[in-house]
Every structure is written in structure tokens, then in C-alpha cells.
Amino acid sequence: MKGKTLAAATVTLLALAVALPSCSRKKEPPKEGAKTIGVSLLKENDDFYVTLKKGLNDAAAKYGYNIAILSADSDEIKQQKNMDALLVKGADAVVICPVNSKGVGSIIKKANDRNVPVFTADIAAEEGKVVAHIASDNYLGGKIAAQRMKDEIGAGLVAVIQIPGTESVMARVAGFVDTARELNLEIIEPFYNGKDDTQESERVANAAIKAHPDLLGIFAANDNMAEGAESAIKASEKNIVLIGYDAAPAAQAKIKAGGPWKADVIQYPARIGEATIQTIDRHFKGELQYSGETINVPVEVGIVDSESLR
């Protein structure tokens, strides 16, 4: 589904509210009769979603809402069951981190049919009526990664390891590739499919290194795939720069230790959680309403390297 961006003033105010420490409201337990926000996470077995979940819980407590959080465990059928369970619980709004951006439309429709407002976090939906999408500015993150690659290698050949079909990853790759080309970096196409798997990413990185003796850089669109690429680079004993995305604690440790993994774009999942609850709060108050197109609420990203991690 195509989205539109909030007016500049609204986005600025929201970004400031998310970025600054929250001290104006005390965390209080939800009162009896408070509205309930239901959530279906993509998964909860990695650092990003653990932190996102905490951000959602903390913000719900701060704004005085009950919250019910379920995990789809990367299973589309389970996400359908999550939605059924949340609607049975009487959720007044639902947040989905879609397993499948295209296939989630039928799941969202269940809430649409009951006039329960739907919001997406981290990953957007391509179908269904969604009030707002709250996520890292992944296109900007890709641009930042490309600029860092340029700074590291100057010019030369770069491979991209991605997961086809995942909206957030596609935005990262688009930002990286568009900017890399503007900076006169040469990108190998087609991109390599790391399948969000460390071993598969190591295999395709090995293939890229062997097929392209002049390869100077690899951009991996998340830390799972960057970890595999790092193993391949080390095994090759070549001077190849690796830039990743997510900056989970394990990735930060590798970057800090030195080696081919030079930097990572960092997301702030706790801020995504805060912004999601804040956006829903504004919807409940009538300040933000669905008008035919999904409203995009971008959350800032940054970059970390060995110097910033000291």
C-alpha cells in the first residue's frame, strides 16, 4: 500500500517526542476500562524485536493502555491466529509487524471488518486499510551505508546481500544502491540472496569473492547476513570492507574488535515502539485519522563504527 507522509510540522513534533527522553508522564499501570492495544510481532527471538517489545510495553504503560503482545514466529499462519486471538481479547487497535508484506492483507481485513484500526511497525503492508506505518527510515539508512562504503573504499566493485520481498530490506537496498551509483561505486547485479541466514550468506559471499577477484566491498542488509559475509571475507584473507545493518550487540562487538566489518547502520527499536503507541494515542484522541492512504511515521537511524563504540 502506498503511503503519504505527515505534514512537516506534525512529523517534526512527533520525531522530537520520540527522540527526547520522556519525563513528562509517569509510568502508571493501566486503569480498569483502559483501551487495549493488541500486537502481533514478526518474531521475538532477536535483539531488535526484544527491544521493540520493551519499547511498546513501556510506552503503553506511560500512556495508560493495556497491551497484549503475541509473536508470529515468522509464520504467516500463526500471524493469522494472532489476529484472531487479539480480536477475541477485544483489542481497540492492532499493531502488526507483517511476516509477509503482500500476504498480510487478508489478516488486516479481519480487523478492518470489525472497524478496529490497524497500524504497522517496522515492516509495511502492501494491502489492507492501515492508519499509519511506523518504522526506521530504511531508505535513509541505505544512503548512510553507501556513503560510508564510499569513504572506506573510494571507488570500486561492491556486492549486496539481501532478502528479496521484505519491504524494509528492499528500502535499505534501494537507498544503498541509488546512493552508491551517485557516488560512482559499481554494484554487482543481480544482488545476492542471503535468505536472512548466516550460513547461506557466507555461501553467497564466498561465491561473490571467487567470481569477482576485484571485489572491494559488501553491503549486507541485516546483521545475520553480515555475520556470514564476515566469515567469508576472513576466510578469503582479502581486504574487503563489510558494512551491515541493525547494529545488534553481537554486531557491535565484532565492529569494535576490528576487522573487515567496519560499520553498521543502527536502528532504535525502542523508539519505534514509543512512536507506535504515541501514534495510536493520537488516533484515539481524534488527532490522526485514516483518510484513504497510510500515513508514514519515520524514526531516525544512525551509524556506529569502532570509534563511536569505544
Side-chain angles (χ1 to χ4, degrees):
M1 171 181 289
K2 280 190 166 183
K4 64 180 179 180
T5 305
L6 283 166
T10 305
V11 171
T12 302
L13 288 171
L14 181 57
L16 286 171
V18 172
L20 295 173
S22 300
C23 54
S24 60
R25 292 174 181 256
K26 294 180 180 179
K27 289 184 180 180
E28 298 177 355
K31 299 179 177 63
E32 186 176 349
K35 290 183 182 293
T36 296
I37 298 170
V39 181
S40 175
L41 296 177
L42 169 65
K43 53 186 175 180
E44 55 182 351
N45 61 349
D46 68 13
D47 291 318
F48 180 90
Y49 281 100
V50 167
T51 308
L52 174 60
K53 181 177 180 178
K54 184 177 187 304
L56 289 164
N57 275 317
D58 288 350
K62 182 177 75 174
Y63 283 88
Y65 296 116
N66 296 305
I67 190 164
I69 301 180
L70 305 175
S71 173
D73 299 324
S74 300
D75 183 332
E76 192 171 353
I77 294 174
K78 189 168 183 180
Q79 191 150 64
Q80 291 212 34
K81 293 178 179 177
N82 284 175
M83 177 62 84
D84 292 338
L86 294 170
L87 293 174
V88 167
K89 286 177 181 287
D92 296 286
V94 174
V95 180
I96 299 181
C97 305
V99 173
N100 183 330
S101 294
K102 292 183 178 179
V104 76
S106 62
I107 300 174
I108 292 172
K109 189 175 184 299
K110 293 183 177 186
N112 294 163
D113 289 346
R114 296 195 184 192
N115 293 317
V116 175
V118 176
F119 301 77
T120 51
D122 184 42
I123 300 170
E126 294 185 15
E127 297 178 358
K129 176 182 171 182
V130 176
V131 177
H133 174 58
I134 304 92
S136 297
D137 190 336
N138 283 298
Y139 186 83
L140 174 61
K143 290 173 67 72
I144 291 170
Q147 183 61 64
R148 184 53 184 261
M149 184 67 76
K150 174 70 174 181
D151 294 343
E152 292 284 346
I153 70 173
L157 191 64
V158 178
V160 173
I161 301 178
Q162 62 155 357
I163 319 163
T166 302
E167 178 272 337
S168 58
V169 171
M170 290 169 63
R172 297 170 194 179
V173 172
F176 181 86
V177 171
D178 289 350
T179 305
R181 287 175 176 154
E182 291 172 4
L183 297 172
N184 296 316
L185 295 174
E186 185 180 355
I187 305 295
I188 298 170
E189 292 192 68
F191 310 135
Y192 291 89
N193 184 1
K195 300 181 180 178
D196 195 18
D197 179 79
T198 299
Q199 289 185 334
E200 181 64 15
S201 297
E202 182 177 0
R203 187 189 71 77
V204 298
N206 272 321
I209 292 167
K210 289 176 182 176
H212 301 278
D214 53 346
L215 184 67
L216 292 181
I218 295 177
F219 170 60
N222 71 19
D223 285 341
N224 286 341
M225 296 186 292
E227 185 177 349
E230 183 195 39
S231 296
I233 293 169
K234 286 183 173 179
S236 76
E237 298 184 343
K238 290 192 170 186
N239 186 23
I240 297 171
V241 169
L242 173 65
I243 307 293
Y245 203 111
D246 280 339
Q252 292 187 31
K254 287 175 176 287
I255 293 166
K256 190 174 181 180
W261 199 337
K262 300 300 184 185
D264 245 31
V265 176
I266 185 168
Q267 301 189 80
Y268 302 105
R271 295 180 187 178
I272 296 173
E274 167 106 15
T276 299
I277 301 301
Q278 185 183 45
T279 301
I280 294 170
D281 181 67
R282 295 184 64 228
H283 174 76
F284 284 153
K285 291 176 178 176
E287 298 171 4
L288 183 153
Q289 297 298 320
Y290 181 76
S291 59
E293 292 186 63
T294 300
I295 297 165
N296 289 316
V297 182
V299 178
E300 66 180 310
V301 295
I303 195 161
V304 296
D305 54 21
S306 59
E307 184 174 345
S308 67
L309 292 170
R310 285 177 188 168

